[in-house]
Amino acid sequence: MTEVDVPQTRPPEPLSIHIIKASNLRPSSGTSKGTKGDNVQITVKVEFGEKQLGESPKVDCVPDTPAEIDYTANLNCTFEDPLVLDEISYKPVVLTVTEVLPKEKKQKEEKTAQLGQCTVDLLPLVKGATRHHYNLVINPLPGSPLETISPESPKPEMEVVISVQESLLEGTQINNGNLMTLTIETLYAPPETWAMTGAQYAYAAALPIPVSADKESPIVFANGALKPSIDKEAPNRQKKWAVPGSAQGNSVYIPESFLPPDNIDDEDGEFKNKEERDHRHVAETEKLRVTWNTERRSYMDAMATKSFQDKIAKCRYWPVEVMRLPQPAAAKGKKPGLGGGKLKDDEGSISYHGVAFVNLAPLLYPGVKRIRGAYKVHAYTDHAMHEKTKRKTGFGEEAGKIAFNILNRNSASPFPKKAGKEGAEKKEKEVKKGRSMSIAQHQQQVNAAPAGPGGQVPPEASQTIKSDTGSEMEGQAPVNVEGQQYVDAKSYVMLEISLTRPLIPKRPPEELARRVAEYIPPRPLFPKRTDGAQRAVEDFHNQVGSVANLILDEFRDQFGDILKTDDEPQTVEAMESRRQKLIYELNSSGKYFAFKEQLKYAVVKIVREKYLKTSAFEDRQELQTFLSELYVYLIDQMHVALGKYLALEDQAPIPKPLTDSAQLKHFAREAEVNGNYELATKYYQERIARNRNDPSHWFDYGTFCLYINDITKAEECFKECIAIDQKHLQGLLLYGVVCTLSERNEAAETFFEAATCVDPKSILAWTMLGLFYDAVNNEIGAEMAYLEANKLNQAAAVAEAKALREEEIVKDRLARGEHESEDKEVDHDQGGLAPPSVPDIKQPSPPSSDKPPTSARSGKGSISDRRMSASKRSGSKMKTDSSTSRPGSQYRMGSQRGTPQPAEETEEPPVREPTPVPRSSIYMQVIEWLIEVKAIPFTERALAHELLSPMGGPTSAYHINYARLKLQKKEYKEAENSLDEALQFDYQNPDAWALMGHVKYMTNDVEASRDCYERTISFTIDAAEMHSIYLRLASIYLQEEKFSNAKNTFLMACKRSPSCVSWLGVGIACYRLGELAEAEDALSEANILNNTDPEVWGYLSLVCLKTGRQLEAEQAYKYALKLNLVDYDLLTEIQHVQQEVGFGNPEF
């Protein structure tokens, strides 16, 4: 026989609930009949859902001594049904403590009284634990004697241990599965027609959750309760069990599980701008609300998790349906058939059907496990459901039936019962048969319903399922009349969705740093030192030089004064005497021994490293031979070292370079603007040659290579930059740009993410990451990055506004202090007979000044309001207590004692300070940096985002930066058109006129460019880049032979940032004006800054020819030719002047 392979199912795993002991069970006196003293005899009943797992034997409890219960109940966890783990995750084990009362006379059965309950959460076992220990508080049940225990007394507790022999989840299930936690909190601003009086209803919310790869199941929250605005929520709201089972009282709350008090700025939902925040404040303090505060867990295996992730990627919106249901008759406290208590709705019928579309895209952000926020409730229609979520229909009808069943199980008596009217009996039969009316049948019933007083349809006929799908007749737009009331009231629901593991794991900073180091290994700033023979000799040379300096200092201390004053020639006897005295001083002071010890270590290293002698000599002759050889070698090396140090003293010191790194960078940028890329390259390379270990030198050279489209060299430069500094933010970003241009997207993503880890608060890093995700069509990743950048931008705006506000407050206090000092002087003059200042108490001040600065919202008032309140603080101190009450308590016109309040005392709420607005969008901040570093493709993408941004659009700044981009691409016509648009926004913008001048200059429209440059320098505000404006305007003046204007303009450039080009321009202008001395000085300055400019040498030759200095004229002319002077007009002029003066050319 051939055996067929059958997939083995794991055998059931017994889940044990071990009750160890209970303590502090002491009912109050007189609360239970027959109780002997304070002793309590109890049993504990263990339930899971609707199943009773067992009941412990009777145990006597003695005060101040824990009662050892030692009872274990088992729950078999079968693995054939995949929903078993899901059920364990959200259902609690309910422990009910029951007191067994002693039998009285003639009593056949024992009487019992329920004391309290506690719930055991099995969630740790679903997360992979095999054992968990609890100390649970026993919550008193209604009517229990535990309710009367004083708060100071210790609370009754029960010690419980839950355990399994093997983990419920295997390793792959833990790594690939996920546990989702859904929390429906509150529906705010419900429809205006809902009221606390009249017929009461139940409220439910539902949403689909994947349970397998291709199946979804609705999760229903059916315990919503309508509450008035005066019933305030506690600040630490505790979550409830979604399916509490038999739990009652405080046991319906999940132990140690509370709703988080998140800030609105940290939420992920809607209703976050200023107007919507005001609406939220009103809705949460002054209107009705429907409260659930319920948590429901759902275990998803690997296939369900993958399905959930794929569905979010295809359509980010997830439906959460909200509906109203009829209360079961028993839950309303009425019996059907009495007092007209007719069954109003059939089983599962719903009304006021709304839906909130929750954006789950943030769950696909790397590392995100939780979203929470306020989501707008829309009117439910199948059309809207399909349009937003790509689902044909919702779960409304099925969720209504599930919610109705839950409500029936929770009601006090069975439902349904017989009704008192024929119509209700017919509906009851339909319910018993398990049918629910279709929408069409229900509509017929509504139409056939008799009209009530005034011709109105009875509410029981109108508040039904008619609004589920709206009227979607042919040729009509879908309409949901009841659901539209959510939209009119601006209803929103607060909810939270969290996961145990993120759907998209985020790479930790350590891994990103390791990946960056793999791509570009870090290079140490200095080469590693290796101990070898050469290193040992070098150390000996250094020690000899150090000892020689110390001996020389000692010699100068003893004989320096004598040698300075003694003018007679030195004799050999005197020199020998000084030598002997020096040796004596060194020996007697111990310095000779110190010098010998200083050299000892260097000599030992030479012996070990060069001669490889590490052990003792056995032969004495061999030792003597080695010592002789070592002595000769050390003496030779001593002479080499002394010769080296003495030779260094004789050499002239090397002068420091006249230009520093910043000047070289300025010269390079100047050459770059003038189109002299060869000279710019020379300056960038010179910066690197001076300090190869400065990452900014490599970075600047890389941006230049990026500008001239030398991508390979740019990549090498950015590699060197990152190799020197692995956390160089801009280097990481531009290397990512280079990788993107080379279509190495995986490496690019690594470097962009590494930049966000290097500086998590960098707007630049997050926006660049978003632009990269845009380039690779990762919409969700781009959304995440832009959202983070906008948060940082808003936080920066708030911090800036706060700093300005504090600065104004300080100034205001200083000014107020002067006035107060003057007032004190006046009071001092009046003496002690001055009457007390009480007018502020008798005559209330205006509301804006009566609000003290310590009120609940004074921190958000305007500066002027705060200033007024501060000036009248002495009069408002007595009213602080009444002013600081909550806004919701201001609706009463009288005080608590009934005394009428003056109308003037009723204060208006303070004016809300406007939310600070950032100076510019995240895209504009990045655009300016991208243009600076010449990353043209990313600049184009950022400009497109700025054009569509709510904070951006076609503004003056946008058009100016667009023109800068077109100038870099040498597309001058588009740049001119964009600048025309910018000047229409702001005709006095110096940057726009400067760029227009550059466009005209590059297109050889000299006259127009001169006009633009002159207009630019005439403004009171300078343009961003003035140096190039001065140079180009002055060169235009030279062309037009306006030498005086050219000289003054070049001097302005020299004053701002001197360079070879600016001083050369001054020299040329002075030469043309005949100011030869000033021309020579200016040309000399230019030659100092750059002695390889042939034009400078050429004009120096002309100046020397004019001043009759033949040798200098010939030398300057030689250098000009040697450096390849290519200006033909200048060469011709030099040769003409040489012929006039008769010298200057060696060929003559």
Side-chain angles (χ1 to χ4, degrees):
M1 292 180 62
T2 60
E3 295 183 358
V4 180
D5 292 336
V6 178
Q8 295 183 356
T9 305
R10 182 177 169 182
E13 178 72 26
L15 192 157
S16 72
I17 301 98
H18 180 52
I19 305 171
I20 301 176
K21 58 186 176 181
S23 57
N24 302 323
L25 284 171
R26 49 172 76 180
S28 302
S29 60
T31 57
S32 52
K33 276 187 179 183
T35 303
K36 296 180 180 180
D38 287 336
N39 294 347
V40 183
Q41 191 176 43
I42 64 168
T43 63
V44 181
K45 182 169 62 175
V46 185
E47 297 171 286
F48 180 74
E50 300 177 353
K51 183 190 304 183
Q52 181 172 338
L53 303 181
E55 187 170 1
S56 71
K58 300 174 186 177
V59 178
D60 290 328
C61 293
V62 182
D64 302 328
T65 304
E68 299 293 336
I69 300 176
D70 195 17
Y71 174 74
T72 302
N74 290 323
L75 171 65
N76 283 330
C77 177
T78 60
F79 296 92
E80 297 176 355
D81 186 359
L83 298 180
V84 169
L85 289 174
D86 183 66
E87 188 176 7
I88 292 176
S89 67
Y90 72 84
K91 284 186 179 181
V93 172
V94 182
L95 306 180
T96 305
V97 181
T98 305
E99 179 182 8
V100 181
L101 301 176
K103 286 185 180 181
E104 296 180 357
K105 294 179 179 180
K106 300 180 182 180
Q107 181 180 338
K108 295 182 179 180
E109 296 181 357
E110 292 179 335
K111 288 186 178 182
T112 60
Q114 290 187 344
L115 295 180
Q117 288 180 329
C118 58
T119 53
V120 181
D121 194 354
L122 303 180
L123 184 63
L125 302 183
V126 181
K127 290 184 176 180
T130 57
R131 188 177 185 277
H132 195 78
H133 181 270
Y134 285 109
N135 278 324
L136 301 171
V137 175
I138 301 175
N139 301 299
L141 291 172
S144 166
L146 296 182
E147 287 185 320
T148 60
I149 295 179
S150 62
E152 292 79 12
S153 301
K155 294 182 179 180
E157 290 185 349
M158 185 176 295
E159 187 175 350
V160 182
V161 173
I162 57 174
S163 61
V164 288
Q165 306 230 338
E166 295 183 9
S167 176
L168 298 180
L169 297 178
E170 299 176 350
T172 55
Q173 290 178 305
I174 296 175
N175 296 330
N176 300 328
N178 217 321
L179 184 69
M180 179 188 296
T181 302
L182 308 167
T183 304
I184 302 292
E185 300 180 17
T186 307
L187 172 69
Y188 291 105
E192 299 291 341
T193 55
W194 295 5
M196 296 298 299
T197 58
Q200 296 301 303
Y201 297 88
Y203 303 89
L207 70 161
I209 292 299
V211 294
S212 63
D214 53 359
K215 182 183 178 183
E216 287 183 335
S217 176
I219 287 182
V220 181
F221 298 83
N223 55 349
L226 186 65
K227 293 186 178 181
S229 59
I230 59 174
D231 187 3
K232 301 297 181 184
E233 294 278 7
N236 53 345
R237 293 175 290 169
Q238 196 167 3
K239 296 181 181 180
K240 299 178 183 177
W241 290 104
V243 183
S246 60
Q248 302 177 44
N250 287 336
S251 296
V252 300
Y253 294 101
I254 304 175
E256 303 299 327
S257 182
F258 298 91
L259 293 174
D262 288 346
N263 191 358
I264 294 181
D265 294 328
D266 298 329
E267 292 180 358
D268 301 285
E270 303 161 337
F271 288 88
K272 295 173 68 174
N273 60 35
K274 179 183 179 300
E275 294 77 11
E276 291 167 341
R277 291 190 186 199
D278 294 338
H279 168 68
R280 287 180 64 170
H281 176 71
V282 173
E284 294 170 12
T285 56
E286 301 178 9
K287 293 186 178 182
L288 300 177
R289 66 184 184 278
V290 177
T291 302
W292 286 274
N293 292 344
T294 302
E295 176 180 295
R296 167 70 152 82
R297 293 93 172 244
S298 177
Y299 175 76
M300 299 187 297
D301 58 14
M303 299 300 292
T305 303
K306 184 68 169 60
S307 173
F308 183 57
Q309 180 177 337
D310 293 342
K311 287 179 180 178
I312 297 175
K314 291 178 182 177
C315 183
R316 61 177 62 196
Y317 292 104
W318 204 265
V320 177
E321 301 180 47
V322 182
M323 61 204 75
R324 191 173 78 172
L325 299 167
Q327 285 277 14
K332 295 180 185 177
K334 293 182 181 180
K335 290 186 178 181
L338 298 177
K342 172 178 149 184
L343 288 175
K344 293 186 177 180
D345 290 284
D346 63 332
E347 178 184 352
S349 64
I350 62 175
S351 59
Y352 287 94
H353 194 179
V355 60
F357 299 109
V358 181
N359 182 9
L360 296 187
L363 290 179
L364 295 188
Y365 298 168
V368 173
K369 300 187 293 185
R370 172 180 175 268
I371 63 170
R372 180 180 180 269
Y375 296 91
K376 183 178 180 181
V377 180
H378 303 265
Y380 176 85
T381 60
D382 286 343
H383 175 76
M385 176 69 77
H386 180 70
E387 183 179 3
K388 293 288 285 187
T389 66
K390 303 299 184 289
R391 300 168 185 267
K392 294 182 179 180
T393 184
F395 288 86
E397 294 185 24
E398 183 179 355
K401 295 176 184 178
I402 296 174
F404 203 78
N405 292 333
I406 294 174
L407 293 172
N408 278 331
R409 287 199 300 267
N410 293 341
S411 61
S413 61
F415 178 78
K417 293 183 179 180
K418 281 190 176 182
K421 293 188 179 180
E422 184 179 354
E425 291 176 357
K426 183 177 179 181
K427 284 170 98 180
E428 178 190 348
K429 291 178 182 179
E430 289 181 353
V431 170
K432 287 182 178 179
K433 291 178 182 178
R435 299 200 308 264
S436 61
M437 288 188 300
S438 65
I439 299 173
Q441 291 171 342
H442 172 76
Q443 191 66 35
Q444 292 174 4
Q445 183 184 14
V446 172
N447 295 336
Q456 295 181 353
V457 178
E460 57 266 22
S462 63
Q463 297 167 344
T464 52
I465 202 172
K466 66 182 181 182
S467 61
D468 271 4
T469 60
S471 58
E472 300 187 19
M473 306 293 290
E474 294 183 1
Q476 295 183 2
V479 177
N480 182 344
V481 179
E482 290 179 340
Q484 185 63 29
Q485 295 186 34
Y486 289 115
V487 181
D488 297 338
K490 295 184 179 179
S491 304
Y492 63 94
V493 61
M494 291 292 300
L495 59 89
E496 176 187 350
I497 300 176
S498 62
L499 304 168
T500 54
R501 293 189 310 104
L503 296 177
I504 307 295
K506 183 178 181 179
R507 292 186 287 185
E510 296 78 12
E511 181 185 350
L512 288 170
R514 180 180 57 80
R515 293 288 300 277
V516 169
E518 288 176 1
Y519 283 111
I520 305 174
R523 191 182 67 201
L525 294 178
F526 302 100
K528 293 181 179 180
R529 293 187 174 184
T530 56
D531 289 335
Q534 184 178 359
R535 178 64 185 167
V537 174
E538 290 177 358
D539 286 346
F540 179 73
H541 288 174
N542 293 333
Q543 294 299 329
V544 168
S546 175
V547 171
N549 284 327
L550 293 174
I551 295 174
L552 184 59
D553 291 339
E554 186 69 23
F555 181 84
R556 287 170 178 168
D557 290 341
Q558 291 190 23
F559 310 110
D561 296 336
I562 299 175
L563 293 176
K564 287 180 181 179
T565 57
D566 191 2
D567 296 333
E568 297 181 1
Q570 300 295 325
T571 62
V572 177
E573 292 80 5
M575 295 172 62
E576 180 64 21
S577 174
R578 284 193 292 270
R579 186 182 70 84
Q580 292 179 0
K581 288 181 180 179
L582 177 62
I583 294 175
Y584 175 79
E585 181 65 25
L586 293 176
N587 281 314
S588 60
S589 63
K591 293 180 182 180
Y592 175 80
F593 179 77
F595 294 156
K596 187 173 68 172
E597 289 296 319
Q598 185 174 345
L599 290 172
K600 180 178 178 181
Y601 179 69
V603 174
V604 170
K605 284 180 64 178
I606 289 178
V607 171
R608 292 178 177 175
E609 299 294 336
K610 183 171 180 60
Y611 291 95
L612 304 178
K613 301 293 185 180
T614 57
S615 58
F617 289 91
E618 298 178 357
D619 188 3
R620 186 172 181 81
Q621 183 63 33
E622 183 181 358
L623 173 61
Q624 291 298 329
T625 304
F626 172 72
L627 291 177
S628 300
E629 183 181 354
L630 177 63
Y631 177 77
V632 172
Y633 179 77
L634 291 178
I635 292 297
D636 291 341
Q637 293 301 320
M638 180 191 71
H639 288 303
V640 171
L642 291 175
K644 186 193 302 182
Y645 284 98
L646 292 176
L648 282 177
E649 291 183 2
D650 294 338
Q651 292 178 357
I654 301 175
K656 295 182 178 180
L658 298 175
T659 55
D660 56 13
S661 176
Q663 284 181 301
L664 290 175
K665 181 178 179 180
H666 169 63
F667 298 161
R669 291 290 177 89
E670 181 185 71
E672 187 179 324
V673 170
N674 294 332
N676 191 349
Y677 299 143
E678 184 179 353
L679 182 60
T681 302
K682 173 192 167 187
Y683 282 126
Y684 282 123
Q685 291 177 349
E686 185 174 345
R687 293 181 76 214
I688 293 173
R690 289 190 182 182
N691 187 359
R692 299 183 62 87
N693 293 323
D694 191 335
S696 64
H697 295 175
W698 290 102
F699 177 80
D700 293 333
Y701 188 31
T703 60
F704 169 71
C705 295
L706 201 61
Y707 175 58
I708 61 176
N709 205 27
D710 191 348
I711 305 298
T712 304
K713 191 172 288 186
E715 181 178 355
E716 292 300 321
C717 291
F718 297 137
K719 267 189 176 181
E720 289 291 333
C721 173
I722 299 171
I724 296 171
D725 183 4
Q726 295 271 298
K727 295 184 178 181
H728 194 279
L729 178 67
Q730 298 185 0
L732 291 168
L733 292 175
L734 279 193
Y735 192 81
V737 170
V738 171
C739 291
T740 306
L741 297 178
S742 305
E743 298 184 353
R744 289 177 285 139
N745 294 330
E746 184 179 353
E749 183 177 11
T750 298
F751 283 93
F752 283 123
E753 286 188 14
T756 61
C757 291
V758 167
D759 189 359
K761 295 186 178 181
S762 170
I763 299 174
L764 174 64
W766 285 106
T767 310
M768 287 295 294
L769 179 62
L771 293 174
F772 164 74
Y773 282 138
D774 272 338
V776 296
N777 297 322
N778 185 347
E779 296 181 3
I780 292 179
E783 178 184 298
M784 176 269 299
Y786 293 147
L787 182 64
E788 189 67 27
N790 280 311
K791 284 183 180 178
L792 294 172
N793 197 23
Q794 184 63 40
V798 171
E800 184 179 359
K802 183 180 179 181
L804 291 174
R805 187 162 59 246
E806 291 176 352
E807 184 179 351
E808 288 192 20
I809 291 174
V810 171
K811 292 180 180 178
D812 184 56
R813 285 176 179 172
L814 292 175
R816 189 172 61 249
E818 296 177 0
H819 293 301
E820 289 179 355
S821 61
E822 294 176 0
D823 294 341
K824 288 179 181 179
E825 291 178 2
V826 174
D827 295 340
H828 180 70
D829 294 340
Q830 292 179 352
L833 300 177
S837 56
V838 294
D840 283 338
I841 300 177
K842 294 181 179 180
Q843 298 178 1
S845 56
S848 60
S849 62
D850 191 45
K851 197 74 170 180
T854 57
S855 65
R857 301 182 60 138
S858 64
K860 297 185 179 179
S862 63
I863 300 298
S864 59
D865 293 342
R866 192 178 295 108
R867 193 172 299 160
M868 292 175 65
S869 64
S871 64
K872 299 188 178 182
R873 188 170 300 172
S874 60
S876 62
K877 282 182 180 178
M878 299 182 67
K879 294 179 283 186
T880 301
D881 296 337
S882 63
S883 315
T884 54
S885 60
R886 294 181 302 182
S889 63
Q890 300 292 336
Y891 67 94
R892 292 178 295 181
M893 294 301 295
S895 67
Q896 293 180 355
R897 296 181 180 178
T899 306
Q901 299 279 340
E904 291 83 3
E905 292 293 337
T906 303
E907 300 177 356
E908 298 178 359
V911 179
R912 182 188 178 94
E913 182 181 346
T915 304
V917 179
R919 294 180 180 270
S920 60
S921 68
I922 57 173
Y923 308 109
M924 184 56 67
Q925 297 179 41
V926 172
I927 286 168
E928 294 174 353
W929 179 77
L930 287 171
I931 291 177
E932 187 71 20
V933 299
K934 290 92 175 177
I936 292 177
F938 276 72
T939 309
E940 294 173 335
R941 196 170 293 114
L943 282 168
H945 278 285
E946 173 67 16
L947 189 61
L948 300 175
S949 171
M951 290 183 58
T955 59
S956 175
Y958 166 81
H959 287 294
I960 288 175
N961 283 292
Y962 184 78
R964 292 175 66 190
L965 174 66
K966 292 301 179 182
L967 270 173
Q968 288 184 356
K969 299 176 68 176
K970 296 181 172 55
E971 298 175 359
Y972 302 119
K973 185 63 179 175
E974 290 83 351
E976 184 177 354
N977 294 337
S978 182
L979 290 171
D980 288 336
E981 295 288 337
L983 290 172
Q984 290 182 8
F985 284 96
D986 185 4
Y987 199 71
Q988 296 185 357
N989 191 317
D991 289 321
W993 284 109
L995 291 173
M996 183 66 80
H998 293 331
V999 170
K1000 299 296 184 181
Y1001 186 86
M1002 299 304 294
T1003 55
N1004 296 322
D1005 190 349
V1006 177
E1007 185 175 352
S1009 63
R1010 183 196 64 214
D1011 293 340
C1012 294
Y1013 290 145
E1014 288 176 344
R1015 184 188 295 268
T1016 303
I1017 63 175
S1018 65
F1019 287 128
T1020 56
I1021 301 175
D1022 288 340
E1025 176 56 47
M1026 292 297 295
H1027 187 72
S1028 59
I1029 297 171
Y1030 288 136
L1031 293 184
R1032 287 181 172 177
L1033 178 59
S1035 65
I1036 292 173
Y1037 286 147
L1038 284 180
Q1039 294 177 22
E1040 296 177 346
E1041 298 185 356
K1042 299 178 180 179
F1043 301 122
S1044 180
N1045 291 344
K1047 174 186 173 183
N1048 293 332
T1049 308
F1050 274 125
L1051 283 173
M1052 292 170 68
C1054 292
K1055 182 179 179 181
R1056 194 177 188 91
S1057 47
S1059 66
C1060 174
V1061 176
S1062 60
W1063 281 115
L1064 173 61
V1066 175
I1068 294 173
C1070 291
Y1071 175 78
R1072 299 304 178 192
L1073 291 171
E1075 301 170 354
L1076 298 181
E1078 294 184 7
E1080 184 175 359
D1081 291 341
L1083 293 171
S1084 298
E1085 289 289 339
N1087 202 13
I1088 290 172
L1089 295 176
N1090 183 10
N1091 60 0
T1092 61
D1093 191 324
E1095 197 171 353
V1096 175
W1097 288 110
Y1099 277 100
L1100 278 173
S1101 178
L1102 283 176
V1103 171
C1104 293
L1105 290 173
K1106 292 286 187 179
T1107 54
R1109 291 177 288 174
Q1110 179 179 356
L1111 179 60
E1112 295 176 3
E1114 289 181 358
Q1115 288 179 342
Y1117 180 64
K1118 287 179 183 179
Y1119 278 118
L1121 295 180
K1122 183 179 180 180
L1123 294 172
N1124 194 19
L1125 179 61
V1126 294
D1127 189 343
Y1128 179 76
D1129 295 335
L1130 180 58
L1131 272 175
T1132 303
E1133 184 179 1
I1134 293 173
Q1135 292 172 358
H1136 179 70
V1137 176
Q1138 287 173 348
Q1139 291 176 358
E1140 285 184 357
V1141 299
F1143 60 85
N1145 190 344
E1147 296 179 357
F1148 288 169

